[in-house]
Coordinates of all heavy atoms in Angstrom, one line a residue:
M1 N 9.5 4.9 6.0 CA 9.8 4.0 7.1 C 10.8 4.6 8.1 O 11.7 5.2 7.7 CB 10.4 2.7 6.5 CG 9.6 2.0 5.5 SD 9.9 0.2 5.7 CE 8.2 -0.2 5.9
P2 N 10.4 4.5 9.3 CA 11.3 5.1 10.4 C 12.6 4.4 10.5 O 12.7 3.2 10.1 CB 10.5 5.0 11.6 CG 9.5 4.0 11.4 CD 9.3 3.9 9.9
G3 N 13.6 5.0 11.0 CA 14.9 4.4 11.3 C 15.9 4.5 10.2 O 15.6 5.1 9.1
T4 N 17.0 4.0 10.5 CA 18.1 4.0 9.5 C 17.9 2.9 8.4 O 17.4 1.9 8.7 CB 19.4 3.7 10.2 OG1 19.6 4.6 11.3 CG2 20.6 3.7 9.3
V5 N 18.2 3.3 7.2 CA 18.1 2.3 6.1 C 19.5 1.8 5.7 O 20.5 2.5 5.8 CB 17.3 2.9 4.9 CG1 15.9 3.3 5.3 CG2 18.1 4.1 4.4
R6 N 19.5 0.6 5.2 CA 20.7 0.0 4.7 C 20.4 -0.6 3.3 O 19.2 -1.0 3.0 CB 21.2 -1.1 5.6 CG 21.8 -0.5 6.9 CD 22.5 -1.6 7.7 NE 23.7 -2.0 6.9 CZ 24.4 -3.0 7.3 NH1 24.1 -3.8 8.4 NH2 25.5 -3.4 6.6
K7 N 21.3 -0.7 2.5 CA 21.1 -1.3 1.1 C 21.4 -2.8 1.2 O 22.4 -3.2 1.8 CB 22.0 -0.6 0.1 CG 21.8 -1.1 -1.3 CD 22.6 -0.3 -2.3 CE 22.2 -0.7 -3.7 NZ 22.7 0.3 -4.7
Y8 N 20.5 -3.6 0.7 CA 20.6 -5.0 0.6 C 20.5 -5.5 -0.8 O 19.8 -4.9 -1.6 CB 19.6 -5.7 1.5 CG 19.8 -5.4 3.0 CD1 19.1 -4.4 3.6 CD2 20.6 -6.2 3.8 CE1 19.3 -4.1 4.9 CE2 20.8 -5.9 5.1 CZ 20.1 -4.8 5.7 OH 20.3 -4.5 7.0
S9 N 21.0 -6.6 -1.1 CA 20.8 -7.3 -2.4 C 19.9 -8.5 -2.1 O 20.3 -9.4 -1.3 CB 22.1 -7.7 -3.0 OG 21.9 -8.4 -4.2
I10 N 18.8 -8.7 -2.8 CA 18.0 -9.9 -2.7 C 17.8 -10.5 -4.0 O 17.9 -9.9 -5.1 CB 16.6 -9.5 -2.0 CG1 15.8 -8.5 -2.9 CG2 16.8 -8.9 -0.7 CD1 14.4 -8.3 -2.5
T11 N 17.4 -11.8 -4.0 CA 17.1 -12.5 -5.2 C 15.6 -13.0 -5.1 O 15.2 -13.5 -4.0 CB 18.0 -13.8 -5.3 OG1 19.4 -13.3 -5.2 CG2 17.8 -14.5 -6.5
M12 N 14.9 -12.8 -6.2 CA 13.5 -13.3 -6.2 C 13.2 -13.7 -7.6 O 13.9 -13.3 -8.6 CB 12.6 -12.2 -5.7 CG 12.5 -11.0 -6.5 SD 11.2 -9.8 -5.9 CE 12.1 -9.0 -4.7
P13 N 12.1 -14.5 -7.8 CA 11.7 -14.9 -9.1 C 11.5 -13.6 -10.0 O 10.9 -12.6 -9.5 CB 10.5 -15.7 -8.9 CG 10.6 -16.2 -7.5 CD 11.3 -15.1 -6.8
R14 N 11.8 -13.7 -11.3 CA 11.6 -12.6 -12.1 C 10.2 -12.1 -12.2 O 9.9 -10.9 -12.2 CB 12.1 -12.9 -13.5 CG 12.0 -11.7 -14.6 CD 12.4 -12.2 -15.9 NE 13.9 -12.6 -15.8 CZ 14.8 -12.3 -16.6 NH1 14.5 -11.5 -17.7 NH2 16.0 -12.6 -16.5
D15 N 9.2 -13.0 -12.3 CA 7.8 -12.6 -12.4 C 7.3 -11.8 -11.2 O 6.6 -10.9 -11.3 CB 6.9 -13.7 -12.7 CG 6.9 -14.9 -11.7 OD1 8.0 -15.0 -11.0 OD2 5.9 -15.6 -11.6
V16 N 7.9 -12.3 -10.0 CA 7.5 -11.6 -8.8 C 8.1 -10.2 -8.7 O 7.5 -9.2 -8.4 CB 8.0 -12.4 -7.5 CG1 7.8 -11.6 -6.2 CG2 7.3 -13.7 -7.5
A17 N 9.4 -10.1 -9.1 CA 10.1 -8.8 -9.2 C 9.4 -7.8 -10.1 O 9.2 -6.7 -9.8 CB 11.5 -9.0 -9.5
E18 N 9.0 -8.3 -11.3 CA 8.4 -7.5 -12.3 C 7.0 -7.0 -11.8 O 6.6 -5.9 -12.0 CB 8.3 -8.2 -13.7 CG 9.7 -8.3 -14.3 CD 9.7 -9.2 -15.5 OE1 8.6 -9.7 -15.9 OE2 10.8 -9.3 -16.1
A19 N 6.3 -7.9 -11.2 CA 4.9 -7.5 -10.7 C 5.1 -6.5 -9.6 O 4.3 -5.5 -9.5 CB 4.2 -8.8 -10.2
A20 N 6.1 -6.7 -8.7 CA 6.3 -5.7 -7.6 C 6.7 -4.4 -8.2 O 6.2 -3.3 -7.7 CB 7.3 -6.3 -6.6
R21 N 7.6 -4.4 -9.1 CA 8.0 -3.1 -9.8 C 6.9 -2.4 -10.4 O 6.7 -1.2 -10.3 CB 9.2 -3.4 -10.8 CG 9.8 -2.1 -11.3 CD 10.9 -2.3 -12.3 NE 12.0 -3.1 -11.7 CZ 13.0 -2.5 -10.9 NH1 13.0 -1.3 -10.7 NH2 14.0 -3.3 -10.5
A22 N 6.0 -3.1 -11.1 CA 4.9 -2.5 -11.8 C 3.9 -1.9 -10.8 O 3.3 -0.9 -11.0 CB 4.1 -3.6 -12.6
R23 N 3.8 -2.5 -9.6 CA 2.8 -2.0 -8.6 C 3.5 -0.9 -7.7 O 2.8 -0.2 -7.0 CB 2.4 -3.1 -7.7 CG 1.5 -4.1 -8.4 CD 1.1 -5.2 -7.5 NE 0.4 -6.2 -8.3 CZ -0.3 -7.2 -7.7 NH1 -0.3 -7.3 -6.4 NH2 -0.9 -8.1 -8.5
S24 N 4.8 -0.8 -7.7 CA 5.5 0.1 -6.7 C 5.3 1.5 -7.0 O 5.4 2.4 -6.1 CB 6.9 -0.3 -6.7 OG 7.6 0.0 -7.9
G25 N 5.0 1.9 -8.2 CA 4.7 3.3 -8.6 C 5.9 4.2 -8.2 O 7.0 3.8 -8.3
L26 N 5.5 5.4 -7.7 CA 6.5 6.4 -7.4 C 7.4 6.1 -6.3 O 8.5 6.6 -6.1 CB 5.8 7.8 -7.2 CG 5.1 8.4 -8.4 CD1 4.4 9.6 -8.0 CD2 6.1 8.6 -9.6
S27 N 6.9 5.3 -5.3 CA 7.7 4.9 -4.1 C 8.9 4.0 -4.5 O 9.8 4.0 -3.7 CB 6.8 4.3 -3.1 OG 6.3 3.0 -3.6
G28 N 8.8 3.3 -5.5 CA 9.9 2.5 -6.0 C 9.9 1.1 -5.4 O 9.2 0.8 -4.4
L29 N 10.7 0.2 -6.0 CA 10.7 -1.2 -5.6 C 11.1 -1.4 -4.2 O 10.6 -2.3 -3.5 CB 11.5 -2.0 -6.6 CG 11.6 -3.5 -6.4 CD1 10.2 -4.2 -6.5 CD2 12.6 -4.1 -7.4
S30 N 12.2 -0.7 -3.8 CA 12.7 -0.9 -2.4 C 11.6 -0.6 -1.4 O 11.5 -1.4 -0.4 CB 13.9 0.0 -2.2 OG 15.0 -0.5 -3.0
A31 N 10.9 0.5 -1.5 CA 9.8 0.8 -0.6 C 8.7 -0.2 -0.6 O 8.2 -0.6 0.4 CB 9.2 2.2 -0.9
C32 N 8.4 -0.8 -1.8 CA 7.4 -1.8 -1.9 C 7.8 -3.1 -1.2 O 7.1 -3.6 -0.4 CB 7.1 -2.1 -3.4 SG 5.9 -3.4 -3.7
V33 N 9.0 -3.5 -1.4 CA 9.5 -4.7 -0.7 C 9.6 -4.5 0.8 O 9.2 -5.4 1.6 CB 10.9 -5.1 -1.3 CG1 11.6 -6.2 -0.5 CG2 10.8 -5.5 -2.7
A34 N 10.1 -3.3 1.2 CA 10.2 -3.0 2.6 C 8.8 -3.1 3.3 O 8.7 -3.6 4.4 CB 10.9 -1.7 2.9
A35 N 7.8 -2.5 2.6 CA 6.5 -2.5 3.2 C 5.9 -3.9 3.3 O 5.3 -4.3 4.3 CB 5.6 -1.6 2.4
D36 N 6.2 -4.7 2.3 CA 5.7 -6.1 2.3 C 6.4 -6.9 3.3 O 5.7 -7.7 4.0 CB 5.8 -6.7 0.9 CG 4.9 -6.1 -0.1 OD1 3.9 -5.5 0.2 OD2 5.1 -6.4 -1.4
V37 N 7.6 -6.7 3.5 CA 8.3 -7.5 4.6 C 7.8 -7.0 5.9 O 7.6 -7.9 6.8 CB 9.9 -7.3 4.4 CG1 10.6 -7.9 5.6 CG2 10.4 -8.0 3.2
A38 N 7.6 -5.7 6.1 CA 7.1 -5.2 7.4 C 5.7 -5.8 7.7 O 5.4 -6.2 8.8 CB 7.1 -3.7 7.4
R39 N 4.9 -5.9 6.7 CA 3.6 -6.4 6.8 C 3.6 -7.9 7.2 O 2.9 -8.3 8.1 CB 2.8 -6.2 5.5 CG 1.3 -6.6 5.6 CD 0.5 -6.3 4.4 NE 0.7 -5.0 3.8 CZ 1.4 -4.7 2.7 NH1 1.8 -5.7 1.9 NH2 1.5 -3.5 2.3
Q40 N 4.5 -8.6 6.6 CA 4.7 -10.0 6.9 C 5.2 -10.2 8.4 O 4.7 -11.1 9.1 CB 5.6 -10.7 6.0 CG 5.7 -12.3 6.2 CD 4.4 -12.9 6.0 OE1 3.7 -12.7 5.0 NE2 4.0 -13.7 7.0
I41 N 6.1 -9.4 8.8 CA 6.6 -9.4 10.2 C 5.4 -9.2 11.2 O 5.2 -9.9 12.2 CB 7.7 -8.4 10.4 CG1 9.0 -8.9 9.7 CG2 8.0 -8.2 11.9 CD1 10.1 -7.9 9.6
E42 N 4.5 -8.2 10.9 CA 3.4 -7.9 11.7 C 2.4 -9.1 11.7 O 1.9 -9.5 12.8 CB 2.6 -6.7 11.1 CG 3.3 -5.4 11.3 CD 2.6 -4.2 10.6 OE1 1.7 -4.5 9.8 OE2 3.0 -3.1 10.9
R43 N 2.2 -9.8 10.6 CA 1.4 -11.0 10.5 C 2.0 -12.1 11.4 O 1.3 -12.8 12.1 CB 1.2 -11.4 9.1 CG 0.3 -10.5 8.3 CD 0.2 -11.0 6.9 NE -0.7 -10.1 6.1 CZ -0.8 -10.1 4.8 NH1 0.0 -10.8 4.1 NH2 -1.6 -9.2 4.2
D44 N 3.3 -12.3 11.3 CA 4.0 -13.3 12.0 C 3.8 -13.0 13.5 O 3.6 -13.9 14.3 CB 5.5 -13.5 11.6 CG 5.6 -14.0 10.2 OD1 4.7 -14.5 9.6 OD2 6.8 -13.9 9.7
D45 N 4.0 -11.8 13.9 CA 3.9 -11.4 15.3 C 2.5 -11.6 15.8 O 2.3 -12.1 16.9 CB 4.3 -9.9 15.5 CG 5.8 -9.7 15.4 OD1 6.6 -10.7 15.4 OD2 6.2 -8.5 15.3
L46 N 1.5 -11.3 15.0 CA 0.1 -11.5 15.4 C -0.2 -13.0 15.5 O -0.9 -13.4 16.5 CB -0.9 -10.9 14.3 CG -2.3 -11.0 14.6 CD1 -2.7 -10.4 16.0 CD2 -3.1 -10.3 13.5
N47 N 0.3 -13.8 14.6 CA 0.2 -15.2 14.7 C 0.7 -15.8 16.0 O 0.1 -16.6 16.6 CB 0.8 -15.9 13.5 CG 0.4 -17.4 13.4 OD1 -0.8 -17.7 13.6 ND2 1.3 -18.3 13.2
D48 N 1.9 -15.3 16.4 CA 2.5 -15.6 17.7 C 1.6 -15.3 18.9 O 1.4 -16.1 19.8 CB 3.8 -15.0 17.9 CG 4.9 -15.5 17.0 OD1 4.7 -16.5 16.3 OD2 5.9 -14.8 16.8
I49 N 1.0 -14.1 18.8 CA 0.0 -13.7 19.9 C -1.2 -14.6 19.9 O -1.6 -15.1 21.0 CB -0.4 -12.2 19.7 CG1 0.8 -11.3 19.9 CG2 -1.6 -11.9 20.6 CD1 0.6 -9.9 19.5
I50 N -1.7 -14.9 18.7 CA -2.9 -15.8 18.6 C -2.6 -17.2 19.2 O -3.3 -17.8 20.0 CB -3.4 -15.9 17.2 CG1 -4.0 -14.6 16.8 CG2 -4.4 -17.0 17.0 CD1 -4.3 -14.5 15.3
Q51 N -1.4 -17.7 18.8 CA -1.0 -19.1 19.3 C -0.9 -19.1 20.8 O -1.3 -20.0 21.5 CB 0.3 -19.5 18.6 CG 0.1 -19.9 17.2 CD 1.4 -20.4 16.5 OE1 2.5 -20.3 17.1 NE2 1.3 -20.8 15.3
A52 N -0.3 -18.0 21.4 CA -0.1 -17.9 22.8 C -1.5 -17.8 23.5 O -1.7 -18.5 24.5 CB 0.7 -16.7 23.2
A53 N -2.4 -17.0 23.0 CA -3.7 -16.9 23.5 C -4.5 -18.2 23.5 O -5.2 -18.6 24.4 CB -4.5 -15.8 22.8
E54 N -4.4 -18.9 22.3 CA -5.1 -20.2 22.2 C -4.5 -21.2 23.1 O -5.2 -22.1 23.6 CB -5.1 -20.6 20.7 CG -6.0 -19.8 19.9 CD -6.2 -20.3 18.5 OE1 -5.2 -21.1 18.0 OE2 -7.2 -20.0 17.8
A55 N -3.2 -21.2 23.3 CA -2.6 -22.1 24.2 C -3.1 -21.9 25.7 O -3.3 -22.9 26.4 CB -1.1 -22.0 24.2
E56 N -3.4 -20.7 26.0 CA -3.8 -20.3 27.4 C -5.3 -20.5 27.5 O -5.8 -21.0 28.5 CB -3.5 -18.9 27.7 CG -3.8 -18.5 29.1 CD -3.4 -17.1 29.5 OE1 -2.4 -16.6 28.8 OE2 -3.9 -16.6 30.5
H57 N -6.1 -20.1 26.5 CA -7.6 -20.1 26.6 C -8.3 -21.1 25.7 O -9.5 -21.2 25.7 CB -8.1 -18.7 26.2 CG -7.5 -17.6 27.1 ND1 -7.8 -17.5 28.4 CD2 -6.5 -16.7 26.8 CE1 -7.1 -16.4 28.9 NE2 -6.4 -16.0 27.9
G58 N -7.6 -21.8 24.8 CA -8.2 -22.7 23.9 C -8.5 -22.0 22.6 O -8.5 -20.8 22.5
P59 N -8.7 -22.8 21.5 CA -8.9 -22.2 20.2 C -10.2 -21.4 20.1 O -11.2 -21.7 20.8 CB -8.9 -23.4 19.3 CG -9.2 -24.6 20.1 CD -8.7 -24.2 21.5
V60 N -10.2 -20.4 19.3 CA -11.5 -19.7 19.0 C -12.3 -20.5 18.1 O -11.9 -21.0 17.1 CB -11.1 -18.3 18.3 CG1 -12.3 -17.5 18.0 CG2 -10.1 -17.5 19.2
T61 N -13.6 -20.6 18.4 CA -14.6 -21.4 17.6 C -15.1 -20.6 16.4 O -15.0 -19.3 16.4 CB -15.8 -21.8 18.4 OG1 -16.5 -20.7 18.8 CG2 -15.4 -22.6 19.7
D62 N -15.6 -21.3 15.4 CA -16.2 -20.6 14.3 C -17.3 -19.7 14.7 O -17.5 -18.7 14.1 CB -16.6 -21.7 13.2 CG -15.5 -22.3 12.5 OD1 -14.4 -21.8 12.5 OD2 -15.7 -23.4 11.9
E63 N -18.1 -20.2 15.6 CA -19.2 -19.4 16.1 C -18.8 -18.1 16.7 O -19.4 -17.1 16.5 CB -20.0 -20.2 17.2 CG -20.8 -21.4 16.6 CD -19.9 -22.6 16.4 OE1 -18.8 -22.7 17.0 OE2 -20.2 -23.5 15.6
E64 N -17.7 -18.1 17.5 CA -17.1 -16.9 18.0 C -16.7 -15.9 17.0 O -16.9 -14.7 17.0 CB -16.0 -17.2 19.0 CG -16.5 -17.9 20.3 CD -15.3 -18.4 21.1 OE1 -14.4 -19.0 20.6 OE2 -15.4 -18.2 22.4
I65 N -16.0 -16.5 16.0 CA -15.5 -15.7 14.9 C -16.7 -15.0 14.1 O -16.6 -13.8 13.9 CB -14.7 -16.6 13.9 CG1 -13.4 -17.0 14.6 CG2 -14.4 -15.8 12.6 CD1 -12.6 -18.0 13.8
H66 N -17.7 -15.8 13.8 CA -18.9 -15.2 13.1 C -19.6 -14.2 14.0 O -20.0 -13.1 13.4 CB -19.8 -16.3 12.7 CG -19.3 -17.3 11.7 ND1 -18.7 -16.8 10.5 CD2 -19.3 -18.6 11.6 CE1 -18.4 -17.8 9.8 NE2 -18.7 -19.0 10.4
A67 N -19.7 -14.4 15.2 CA -20.3 -13.4 16.1 C -19.5 -12.1 16.2 O -20.1 -11.0 16.1 CB -20.5 -14.0 17.5
L68 N -18.2 -12.2 16.3 CA -17.4 -11.0 16.3 C -17.3 -10.3 15.0 O -17.3 -9.1 15.0 CB -16.0 -11.4 16.8 CG -15.9 -11.8 18.3 CD1 -14.5 -12.4 18.6 CD2 -16.2 -10.7 19.2
R69 N -17.4 -11.0 13.9 CA -17.4 -10.4 12.6 C -18.7 -9.6 12.5 O -18.8 -8.5 11.9 CB -17.3 -11.4 11.5 CG -15.9 -11.8 11.2 CD -15.8 -12.7 9.9 NE -14.4 -13.0 9.7 CZ -14.0 -14.1 9.2 NH1 -14.9 -15.1 8.8 NH2 -12.7 -14.4 9.0
G70 N -19.8 -10.2 12.9 CA -21.1 -9.5 12.9 C -21.1 -8.2 13.7 O -21.5 -7.2 13.2
R71 N -20.4 -8.2 14.9 CA -20.3 -7.0 15.7 C -19.4 -6.0 15.0 O -19.7 -4.8 15.0 CB -19.8 -7.4 17.1 CG -20.8 -8.1 17.9 CD -20.2 -8.6 19.2 NE -19.5 -7.6 20.0 CZ -18.8 -7.8 21.1 NH1 -18.5 -9.1 21.4 NH2 -18.2 -6.8 21.7
L72 N -18.4 -6.5 14.3 CA -17.5 -5.6 13.6 C -18.2 -4.9 12.5 O -18.1 -3.7 12.3 CB -16.2 -6.3 13.1 CG -15.2 -5.5 12.3 CD1 -14.7 -4.4 13.1 CD2 -14.1 -6.4 11.8
H73 N -18.9 -5.6 11.7 CA -19.7 -5.1 10.6 C -20.7 -4.1 11.1 O -20.9 -3.0 10.4 CB -20.4 -6.2 9.7 CG -19.4 -7.0 9.0 ND1 -18.5 -6.5 8.1 CD2 -19.2 -8.4 9.0 CE1 -17.8 -7.5 7.6 NE2 -18.2 -8.6 8.1
Q74 N -21.4 -4.4 12.2 CA -22.4 -3.5 12.8 C -21.7 -2.2 13.2 O -22.2 -1.1 12.9 CB -23.1 -4.2 13.9 CG -24.1 -3.3 14.6 CD -25.3 -3.0 13.7 OE1 -25.7 -3.8 12.9 NE2 -25.8 -1.8 13.9
A75 N -20.6 -2.3 13.8 CA -19.8 -1.1 14.3 C -19.4 -0.2 13.1 O -19.4 1.0 13.2 CB -18.6 -1.5 15.1
R76 N -19.0 -0.9 12.0 CA -18.6 -0.1 10.8 C -19.8 0.6 10.2 O -19.6 1.7 9.7 CB -18.0 -1.0 9.8 CG -16.6 -1.5 10.2 CD -16.0 -2.4 9.1 NE -14.6 -2.8 9.5 CZ -14.0 -3.8 9.0 NH1 -14.6 -4.5 8.1 NH2 -12.8 -4.1 9.4
R77 N -21.0 0.1 10.3 CA -22.1 0.7 9.7 C -22.6 1.9 10.6 O -23.2 2.8 10.0 CB -23.3 -0.3 9.6 CG -23.1 -1.3 8.5 CD -24.4 -2.1 8.2 NE -24.7 -3.0 9.3 CZ -24.3 -4.2 9.4 NH1 -23.6 -4.8 8.4 NH2 -24.7 -5.0 10.4
E78 N -22.3 1.9 11.8 CA -22.7 2.9 12.7 C -21.8 4.1 12.7 O -21.1 4.7 12.3 CB -22.8 2.4 14.2 CG -23.9 1.4 14.4 CD -23.8 0.7 15.8 OE1 -22.9 1.1 16.6 OE2 -24.7 -0.1 16.0

C-alpha cells in the first residue's frame, strides 16, 4: 500500500479475526485488514457517485442493467 503506515489497535469479533488471519497468508493480518478497508472505501465512494448520478439522471432500470451486462459479457468473450 502506498504512503506512510501507522500502527492501530482494532477490536473485532474473534471468529472474524481468525477467518481473516487464516486467509491473510504471507501478507499478514494487517495487510488483509488494510486491503479490505480500502476496498470498502472504494465501494462507498462508488455508491456516492451512483447516488449523485441517479439524483441527476434518475435511477438505472433493470432493463438497462441487463443490457449493459450483456454488452460486458460480449466484450469479455471478444
Side-chain angles (χ1 to χ4, degrees):
M1 302 213 121
T4 304
V5 296
R6 291 188 67 188
K7 186 173 185 168
Y8 295 92
S9 174
I10 62 170
T11 304
M12 69 176 80
R14 181 180 300 223
D15 59 334
V16 172
E18 290 173 358
R21 186 178 300 278
R23 293 177 184 193
S24 64
L26 296 176
S27 62
L29 182 59
S30 291
C32 178
V33 171
D36 288 345
V37 170
R39 189 176 309 113
Q40 186 61 51
I41 290 169
E42 289 173 351
R43 288 177 179 165
D44 292 345
D45 290 347
L46 181 56
N47 192 46
D48 291 344
I49 292 168
I50 291 168
Q51 287 180 356
E54 286 186 340
E56 184 175 341
H57 304 287
V60 179
T61 66
D62 287 340
E63 293 80 18
E64 291 170 316
I65 292 171
H66 292 312
L68 290 172
R69 280 190 179 145
R71 289 174 52 194
L72 178 61
H73 291 303
Q74 179 65 32
R76 286 181 177 162
R77 285 191 292 268
E78 295 173 354

